[in-house]
Amino acid sequence: MIEVRPADSRGRTNWGWLDSRHTFSFGDYHDPARMGFRSLRVLNDDRVTPGAGFGTHGHRDMEILSYVLEGALEHKDSAGGGGVIRPGEIQFMRAGTGVTHSEYNHSKKEPVHFLQIWIEPDTRGLRPAYGQKAFDRDAMRKSFVLLASPDGREGSLQVHQDVDLWAAVIGAGESRELRLRPRRHAWIHVARGCVSLNGKALREGDAAAVTEEEGLQFLGDEPAEVLLFDLA
């Protein structure tokens, strides 16, 4: 079964410096039917104006990933983590027992567009951690590339939850296939472009919840960038 979550049905926060679309309940946007999917709790599509950002604030017991689509995002946290993330890189912060951090647009001239992803860990009270890695964009144009996993295989970031995060760039007219193991679930997010998933059309910002489907077939209706969460 595939249930589509249209882009225009998402919640929205617009503070001027921030324009954020919420796939699931977040902040002032509350929808009891949209509290997450499996262990995926937050997927925010954020655009931040030049020089602006999220001041220092705290989190705990959450695995947080940032995936930059355009621009550059600057991160600092109380556990000593920090860096600037650009397209072709992904950042990870384990909030664990508690951490404060800030996220700013690194540029004073260009906006930054990124995805903020929260995954509920399988264990509470973990020690905070930080990670950042570049991934192979050329490989993403040929197949799905593993960005995060519970065991850190294939050089992916290691998260404390039974979830694999894959990403692919699919050209117009190109196809990709990914098979799920039995009794697995998936959440698909179209970051850019348009694709068909098992015959269902998905455009930029659309998402799809997948249950009881083993074979996932993607066809690029136009050049697209797709994230796929393989979840227990």
Side-chain angles (χ1 to χ4, degrees), residues 38 101 150 226:
R38 314 300 293 181
H101 75 118
V226 175

Side-chain angles (χ1 to χ4, degrees), residues 13 16 28 39 46 49 72 77 113 122 126 152 164 168 174 183 197:
T13 296
D28 292 335
S39 60
D46 291 344
T49 60
D77 68 51
H113 179 198
D122 58 16
L126 296 167
D164 291 335
E174 294 181 352
R183 296 180 295 281
L197 168 62

Side-chain angles (χ1 to χ4, degrees), residues 68 104 130 135 148 165 173 195 209 226-227:
V68 175
Y104 279 90
Y130 177 84
F135 50 86
L165 170 57
V195 297
V226 175
L227 273 64

Side-chain angles (χ1 to χ4, degrees), residues 60-71:
R60 64 182 304 123
D61 291 320
M62 199 66 68
E63 309 281 276
I64 300 175
L65 296 160
S66 297
Y67 183 92
V68 175
L69 293 162
E70 295 175 337

Side-chain angles (χ1 to χ4, degrees), residues 172-214:
E174 294 181 352
S175 62
R176 298 281 187 280
E177 184 172 349
L178 193 147
R179 293 195 66 80
L180 299 176
R181 289 165 283 160
R183 296 180 295 281
R184 299 290 290 185
H185 307 263
W187 186 270
I188 316 298
H189 179 81
V190 181
R192 287 191 276 217
C194 297
V195 297
S196 295
L197 168 62
N198 289 13
K200 293 181 179 289
L202 301 174
R203 61 185 179 85
E204 184 171 316
D206 284 353
V210 179
T211 56
E212 299 179 358
E213 298 269 349
E214 292 186 13

Side-chain angles (χ1 to χ4, degrees), residues 4 6 30 42 50 65-66 73 76 108 123 136 144 175 178 180 188 204-205 218 223 232:
V4 175
H30 181 72
V42 169
L65 296 160
S66 297
L73 183 69
K76 292 181 182 178
K108 305 299 181 184
T123 304
D136 191 337
F144 278 93
S175 62
L178 193 147
L180 299 176
I188 316 298
E204 184 171 316
F218 297 83

